[in-house]
Amino acid sequence: SGLQVSTTGCVAEARLDVYESFDNFSEIDSFITSIQQEIQTSIFASPGYQALEDDWSQCMSDAGYEIRSQFDVAGLVHQTYYPDNRYSNDGKAQELALAAADATCIDEVSYIERAGEVVSTVESNVLSTKAGEIDGITELVLRLVEVATVT
């Protein structure tokens, strides 16, 4: 898996207490990480998310801002309004105007609701394809919880 796990120190001792072995920890951690990555990649690639970003970007363009993605807002703020990390009243005013446009567009395109629907659909799809693997990890976790609560 490529995951480097420290086998010394208090964190390592705690992992052994909880997971019984570093292999168990690595197996669970790697599985969770791989599912998170697959879900995130699938969300960004989904037609529903792409349409949502397109709608939000068009709304922002109509408001005078050329921003492709919600994830680009913070970079725009720092690069455009606060070059060299120099804060100014003018920068604050521009940032507040951008934030107002962003909030308006989030509302107008139902960003939060639609993003929630995309996430829910993608999570269900990804998790349904991993049912057997999830069952195996669940059995391991339940066994570890049982052992941990007995001792």
Side-chain angles (χ1 to χ4, degrees), residues 18-102:
V18 173
Y19 294 97
E20 291 184 334
S21 72
F22 296 114
D23 288 342
N24 286 343
F25 169 77
S26 292
E27 180 181 355
I28 293 168
D29 187 70
S30 294
F31 180 72
I32 291 169
T33 299
S34 72
I35 285 193
Q36 289 171 329
Q37 289 172 342
E38 184 173 343
I39 287 171
Q40 184 177 26
T41 300
S42 297
I43 287 169
F44 294 146
S46 73
Y49 180 78
Q50 294 299 318
L52 175 56
E53 284 286 287
D54 289 346
D55 292 347
W56 176 86
S57 181
Q58 182 60 55
C59 180
M60 291 298 287
S61 179
D62 293 346
Y65 300 94
E66 296 303 320
I67 308 172
R68 175 68 195 112
S69 168
Q70 268 268 304
F71 293 100
D72 297 335
V73 173
L76 174 77
V77 166
H78 290 287
Q79 291 171 3
T80 306
Y81 305 143
Y82 304 113
D84 302 322
N85 289 323
R86 292 196 176 112
Y87 293 93
S88 67
N89 287 335
D90 186 48
K92 282 189 216 178
Q94 291 174 319
E95 181 179 6
L96 289 172
L98 172 62
D102 182 27

Side-chain angles (χ1 to χ4, degrees), residues 116-126:
E117 291 168 7
V118 168
V119 169
S120 180
T121 299
V122 167
E123 285 176 342
S124 294
N125 291 344
V126 169

